Amino acid sequence: MISAKKLFLPPEEEVLEFKGLKVKEKVVVEKRVLFGVHPCDINALQILDKAYSFKYKDSYYLAKRKNTLIIGVECQPSETCFCKSMGTLSVDKGYDLFLREMDEEYYCVYVASKLGEKLTESPIFEDVDSALAIEVEKRFAEKVEEKIPVKIEGLPEKIDECFADEKIWSDIAKRCLGCGNCTMVCPICCCFNFMDTVDTDFKTGKRVRRWDACTLPDFSIVAGGGNFRPTIQHRIRNWFYDKFKVFVDQVGVPGCVGCGRCVTYCPAKIDLREEIKKIWEVFS
């Protein structure tokens, strides 16, 4: 249900503590190994890498990323996945080792880092022709069929074109509960808020970063109590626009890897794939 994102952007994370006028950052540097990460989540981490290096360097995120060894594993997409449409069915970087099943006895192992190369010096690994590795990946991709394919090429322009269309967004808003499930399970949604707490001595305290979501009503409240996205219609429209237009403009790729979690865990049964299909039908 929850992606690898939570290990780099925890749901709640203490980022600094203060005592009087002295402030100390709480950057956690702990070496660790993530084993069995699926291609969609590895691709999602690469998008987060760009997002968290776009305007500023997030030392908390980057420290965890730098000190994490990632071993990816091929997965069989579920019926809610559309990773093939998003081009994230495979991955060629963002990991140290990646395992793709060849037969009942062997995995084909792909290497994408110097640390990964060092790991393959173990006698359990055998060298193979790179052509075989390419063939194994090709065979896997050919057998994957999506239940509902999604047309991505040209989608940012379509999303921009339909932004002012009240009917499309009101139709989704009538069904949306505004619960934030889609954003919490998404491996890319990365909005957050800060909370400052002061101890009873009024001299010490801490700052905590917590997950937030643009689909939640309090997210867009500003000083004075104004809310520039007062309805779920405004918020769900922003969520679509952010994923398929803003991310493309700012980091070069959509803020979606087709993992299908938002489809699986939406209590209102809103299917992102079907909503995108409607946009294409109306604005073609």
Side-chain angles (χ1 to χ4, degrees):
M1 178 187 290
I2 303 297
S3 72
K5 174 184 72 176
K6 74 172 184 178
L7 299 170
F8 300 90
L9 293 170
E12 183 170 307
E13 175 182 25
E14 184 179 338
V15 295
L16 59 84
E17 60 183 10
F18 56 88
K19 184 175 182 180
L21 297 178
K22 294 183 179 180
V23 178
K24 180 182 179 182
E25 284 191 312
K26 303 275 284 188
V27 179
V28 177
V29 180
E30 179 183 4
K31 292 188 180 298
R32 57 190 178 173
V33 177
L34 296 189
F35 185 89
V37 187
H38 289 173
C40 58
D41 279 351
I42 296 175
N43 278 295
L45 287 174
Q46 291 184 76
I47 296 172
L48 288 177
D49 290 347
K50 295 178 181 179
Y52 276 84
S53 300
F54 176 60
K55 289 185 177 178
Y56 64 96
K57 303 288 185 181
D58 188 297
S59 57
Y60 307 97
Y61 171 85
L62 294 175
K64 296 181 184 67
R65 193 75 167 94
K66 182 180 179 180
N67 288 280
T68 303
L69 184 146
I70 293 179
I71 301 178
V73 176
E74 169 193 293
C75 71
Q76 182 60 46
S78 70
E79 64 176 16
T80 60
C81 293
F82 52 104
C83 51
K84 192 172 185 177
S85 292
M86 297 301 303
T88 56
L89 181 63
S90 62
V91 61
D92 59 4
K93 58 183 178 179
Y95 58 83
D96 297 281
L97 297 178
F98 187 83
L99 281 60
R100 194 176 297 281
E101 194 169 0
M102 289 179 65
D103 51 42
E104 294 181 356
E105 295 185 19
Y106 292 96
Y107 281 88
C108 188
V109 180
Y110 302 77
V111 183
S113 74
K114 291 183 178 179
L115 183 55
E117 287 180 7
K118 188 174 182 180
L119 290 173
T120 58
E121 293 174 1
S122 165
I124 67 170
F125 294 92
E126 299 175 8
D127 288 334
V128 297
D129 192 308
S130 59
L132 174 61
I134 295 171
E135 179 61 27
V136 171
E137 182 174 351
K138 182 181 177 182
R139 287 203 306 263
F140 171 72
E142 287 175 348
K143 68 181 181 181
V144 172
E145 294 184 8
E146 292 180 339
K147 184 177 181 180
I148 305 177
V150 176
K151 183 181 178 183
I152 296 300
E153 186 178 357
L155 184 59
E157 292 75 20
K158 289 297 176 186
I159 292 287
D160 196 33
E161 188 179 345
C162 72
F163 186 82
D165 188 284
E166 295 291 331
K167 187 178 185 308
I168 286 178
W169 310 116
S170 63
D171 178 61
I172 302 175
K174 288 175 184 176
R175 292 170 284 143
C176 180
L177 303 176
C179 65
N181 264 19
C182 54
T183 53
M184 299 305 166
V185 299
C186 176
I188 297 175
C189 281
C190 52
C191 293
F192 57 81
N193 197 359
F194 284 114
M195 299 291 292
D196 289 338
T197 61
V198 181
D199 298 331
T200 54
D201 61 5
F202 295 105
K203 296 179 181 179
T204 58
K206 61 183 180 181
R207 171 168 291 179
V208 175
R209 173 160 67 180
R210 293 175 180 165
W211 282 2
D212 207 340
C214 63
T215 53
L216 300 178
D218 290 349
F219 184 79
S220 48
I221 291 178
V222 295
N227 193 329
F228 52 91
R229 296 192 195 106
T231 70
I232 188 57
Q233 179 174 327
H234 292 101
R235 295 192 290 275
I236 200 68
R237 178 179 67 176
N238 177 75
W239 186 73
F240 271 82
Y241 193 79
D242 194 34
K243 282 195 163 298
F244 298 105
K245 182 66 170 68
V246 176
F247 260 88
V248 174
D249 290 345
Q250 294 191 350
V251 301
V253 292
C256 173
V257 289
C259 69
R261 289 183 176 96
C262 60
V263 179
T264 302
Y265 298 107
C266 176
K269 305 300 180 185
I270 296 172
D271 192 324
L272 178 65
R273 300 167 298 177
E274 296 287 1
E275 303 309 324
I276 291 176
K277 186 185 294 186
K278 291 176 184 176
I279 290 173
W280 277 111
E281 289 171 354
V282 173
F283 287 87
S284 292

